[in-house]
Amino acid sequence: MPGRRGWMEHGDFLRRAQQGDQAAVTQLVETYQRSVFGVCYRMLGDAKEAEDATQEALVKAITNLHAYDVQRPFKPWVLRIASNECIDRIRRRKDTVSLDGMGDDGAWEWKAGDSPNPEALVLREEQHAAVRQMLDSLNPTDRMIVTLFYWEDLPYAEIEAVTGLTTSAIKSRLFRARRTMAEHLTQEEAHV
Amino acid sequence: MSDETEDSVVRRTDEATMHDEAWWVRLVDGALTDEERRAWQAHLVHCSDCRREWAMVSAVEEALLSAPAPPRLSPDFTIVTTQRILQRQRRRRLLSALVGTLIVVAITAVILRYLGAAYVAIESTVSAVLAARQMLFRSLMHTLVGLMVSWRAVLPFVAGLTLLVYLIVMPNGLMVTAALLWLSRRRRDAGLMEVNHA
């Protein structure tokens, strides 16, 4: 009996989704929406825009299943599409919108039941802001690698599939990204 | 080996390499051997630059790992996304069918165009053949009518010619015919004589 992942990646199932089977499409969306949204949110920093990007990435991935090799895992495929979507959006807004406005969408606002402690909410917002600023100091590709490595827990082989880089290049970029973020963190602490 | 001090390990692992990017990549990736890790710990004791950088990198690591999870997606996200996907798939299929139909129509039109041209060419050839046949038939008919009109003048010539051909081609047949006629007359004459005697 194949596991959920194995079943999800089964060729027949993906073929059904490609042919417009509503149940198969819904199942695919439900399975991958969280991961894709996580990546888009870390990349874009804005919950609303990340949700739009997630939807667009899933629509593109599932309507272009004919171009997908069923022998390979589906997650890197969909994350690669999400990554390209986010990089396009970052490039488009680069000249017009500042990334400093993260959180204006209310995504970080306190919600009943989420965190009853206002101090915890403040701490959470500070952590968000710190991480956001660190990620903003990176170029989109390095931001994607950091996101996939730290929050999606993808192995190097799957990060390779998403980014198209070699493992050694990924490791090297990951280290440089850490160093860049460390420098940024030091500068921020010096300002405070 | 048990008496080996940390200093001796550090000496064997070139300290200059610990400032290289390759070393740091292996360090943060957890790819150092036990011996290298001991050398690294010893190096940190007296290298303030590496100590500071290691602290910074560790702080980044901690900040990233302790980052709050992203917010939740809208409750209707799955439904809306599924509907959008199905709608786009339907549109794509419709578009594919339309394009396919247009291609088939275009190809059919081209084929019909060439078939039409070929049909016209064949028909003109057939028409020419039919016209020629008609002319030939008419000429033949005129000839026959002419022969019928001048039949009297031609008849002795035709009869003579036929007799000549018959004589040349069938001399034995002529003799048999003459013999049969002679025998037939003799038998008839003999019959008349018997009737007279009686």
Side-chain angles (χ1 to χ4, degrees), chain B residues 21-70:
Chain B
E21 185 179 299
W23 173 270
W24 279 85
V25 168
R26 293 181 61 231
L27 173 67
V28 295
D29 202 33
L32 295 184
T33 62
D34 289 345
E35 188 181 334
E36 285 172 332
R37 203 172 300 118
R38 280 199 299 276
W40 168 247
Q41 294 294 339
H43 173 73
L44 277 185
V45 174
H46 60 85
C47 182
S48 58
D49 286 347
C50 285
R51 226 171 25 243
R52 191 171 57 252
E53 184 151 356
W54 178 239
M56 282 161 51
V57 169
S58 300
V60 167
E61 193 100 349
E62 196 182 325
L64 294 176
L65 291 173
S66 62

Side-chain angles (χ1 to χ4, degrees), chain B residues 94-122:
Chain B
L94 192 68
L95 196 68
S96 300
L98 195 68
V99 170
T101 307
L102 284 176
I103 290 171
V104 169
V105 166
I107 291 171
T108 308
V110 170
I111 290 171
L112 286 176
R113 158 83 180 79
Y114 281 103
L115 282 178
Y119 175 74
V120 169
I122 288 170

Side-chain angles (χ1 to χ4, degrees), chain B residues 88-171:
Chain B
R88 191 174 287 192
Q89 282 178 332
R90 274 195 295 270
R91 204 163 51 214
R92 185 171 283 194
R93 273 196 292 273
L94 192 68
L95 196 68
S96 300
L98 195 68
V99 170
T101 307
L102 284 176
I103 290 171
V104 169
V105 166
I107 291 171
T108 308
V110 170
I111 290 171
L112 286 176
R113 158 83 180 79
Y114 281 103
L115 282 178
Y119 175 74
V120 169
I122 288 170
E123 198 182 46
S124 54
T125 306
V126 170
S127 301
V129 169
L130 289 174
R133 196 186 69 169
Q134 200 172 3
M135 281 174 68
L136 193 64
F137 179 74
R138 201 172 295 160
S139 302
L140 187 64
M141 291 306 291
H142 286 172
T143 307
L144 286 174
V145 169
L147 285 173
M148 284 169 74
V149 168
S150 55
W151 178 248
R152 282 171 180 249
V154 173
L155 188 60
F157 174 73
V158 170
L161 190 63
T162 305
L163 186 63
L164 184 64
V165 168
Y166 191 71
L167 286 173
I168 291 168
V169 176
M170 298 277 296

Side-chain angles (χ1 to χ4, degrees), chain A residues 53-91:
Chain A
T54 303
Q55 193 175 70
E56 193 56 41
L58 286 167
V59 169
K60 279 182 187 169
I62 296 172
T63 51
N64 288 297
L65 276 175
H66 56 273
Y68 162 68
D69 178 5
V70 290
Q71 303 300 322
R72 291 166 178 266
F74 187 72
K75 191 172 177 181
W77 154 266
V78 71
L79 289 182
R80 184 179 187 123
I81 292 171
S83 154
N84 291 337
E85 177 68 26
C86 291
I87 290 171
D88 284 349
R89 283 171 183 256
I90 290 169
R91 282 181 188 149

